[in-house]
Amino acid sequence: MRFRSSTLILLTLIVLFNSCKKDETDPEPSPTASTGTINFRINNQVDGQAIQFGQKIYTNAAGNVYQVDLLKYYLSHFTLIKSDGTEYNLNNHELINAEVDTTCQFSGVNVPNGTYTHLRFYLGVDTASNHSGAQEGDLDPVNGMIWTWNTGYIFFKHEGVFTTTAGRDTSLLYHYGTDPVLATVDLSLSGFEIKGNSKKIFLTFNLNKLYADPVVVDFNNNNIHQSTSVDDRTWMSDLFTNFPRSFTIDHIE
């Protein structure tokens, strides 16, 4: 009986030892990745209304009733900024076509971990890229956003129709560009942290704010501009002033 008891105790100790011993085949816990991903989504609207193309249903701050037949623009160099001033630049150029949903979303990968306080980007194409001639991707001339008679990209296009004060429907053609009016958009981020994860930033572009805040843009006798003459300068200055306020962060996931 004594031998059996000793054997039982020994077997019990062996089982307990083996159960406490770490299985050498168990994988080590994965460390947190040093970078993450940000997915951007652009929502194009007019004062909260989704844009309906070919419908003369919008009214701007000047009282002009108008429609959108085409709305395209470049966003570039999305840059995340930390409180200590450290920056991470995606070095991207995104051609947003409000009528094509797939162009209104894009991603930034390998974003370093950290807490970021601001997001900065440009409405337009930076000077170096603007004068590099034909390029690929979103900067390919096939996209119809480059002036054929002069080296340089059209930063923003709005084409449509509006009703004049005389009650006549007439063309609206806004082709905005050139180096001096590359507009900077700077938006505040609150508690935005990358920690080896994926985040989504939802941005809103409000076309009516472009024509109202802080400068009211009246389409009457001001409806055709291609950023090529002295007569375009006031209009270009007005849009340059308004672009930074026409973009907002809707929410972050």
Side-chain angles (χ1 to χ4, degrees):
M1 291 295 292
R2 181 176 300 174
F3 173 76
R4 289 180 178 178
S5 297
S6 299
T7 301
L8 182 60
I9 292 171
L10 179 60
L11 290 172
T12 302
L13 289 173
I14 291 172
V15 171
L16 288 172
F17 175 78
N18 286 335
S19 66
C20 293
K21 184 180 179 181
K22 182 179 178 180
D23 187 346
E24 293 181 357
T25 63
D26 289 345
E28 292 289 337
S30 298
T32 301
S34 61
T35 63
T37 300
I38 301 179
N39 299 299
F40 293 93
R41 172 78 190 204
I42 312 295
N43 176 32
N44 297 284
Q45 62 170 238
V46 177
D47 291 341
Q49 302 177 63
I51 294 177
Q52 299 180 47
F53 290 86
Q55 303 293 316
K56 198 177 61 172
I57 56 175
Y58 305 113
T59 305
N60 65 14
N64 309 137
V65 178
Y66 70 97
Q67 73 184 46
V68 180
D69 293 330
L70 181 149
L71 181 62
K72 297 169 71 174
Y73 54 89
Y74 278 108
L75 299 180
S76 63
H77 289 278
F78 275 66
T79 302
L80 292 157
I81 306 167
K82 295 180 180 179
S83 57
D84 64 0
T86 304
E87 298 184 356
Y88 181 74
N89 189 339
L90 274 60
N91 290 307
N92 57 331
H93 287 90
E94 310 293 341
L95 176 55
I96 308 300
N97 182 344
E99 198 168 14
V100 180
D101 186 68
T102 55
T103 70
C104 301
Q105 45 194 315
F106 52 92
S107 298
V109 298
N110 300 321
V111 179
N113 286 350
T115 300
Y116 295 90
T117 60
H118 284 83
L119 170 66
R120 185 181 68 229
F121 56 89
Y122 299 119
L123 183 291
V125 177
D126 65 272
T127 300
S129 300
N130 197 30
H131 299 286
S132 297
Q135 297 167 74
E136 299 179 345
D138 283 10
L139 294 176
D140 193 318
V142 73
N143 294 312
M145 291 292 284
I146 194 167
W147 278 296
T148 56
W149 62 83
N150 185 29
T151 301
Y153 286 87
I154 302 168
F155 296 170
F156 170 87
K157 273 188 180 183
H158 172 191
E159 297 177 4
V161 172
F162 86 102
T163 304
T164 68
T165 52
R168 182 171 59 89
D169 286 352
T170 191
S171 296
L172 179 67
L173 188 147
Y174 278 2
H175 290 185
Y176 170 96
T178 71
D179 293 338
V181 291
L182 179 68
T184 303
V185 180
D186 193 324
L187 302 172
S188 178
L189 295 170
S190 178
F192 182 81
E193 184 178 17
I194 293 294
K195 195 175 181 180
N197 54 350
S198 179
K199 291 276 195 175
K200 295 180 180 179
I201 297 180
F202 293 80
L203 296 167
T204 296
F205 172 62
N206 186 344
L207 186 59
N208 258 1
K209 287 197 75 174
L210 176 62
Y211 300 138
D213 189 8
V215 182
V216 174
V217 178
D218 188 342
F219 299 157
N220 283 286
N221 301 311
N222 192 34
N223 57 309
I224 304 292
H225 290 287
Q226 297 206 52
S227 307
T228 57
S229 71
V230 173
D231 292 340
D232 294 322
R233 289 181 181 175
T234 298
W235 166 82
M236 292 167 67
S237 176
D238 291 345
L239 265 59
F240 177 79
T241 300
N242 290 355
F243 267 121
R245 299 194 188 187
S246 61
F247 289 90
T248 56
I249 294 177
D250 182 79
H251 67 285
I252 297 173
E253 294 180 357

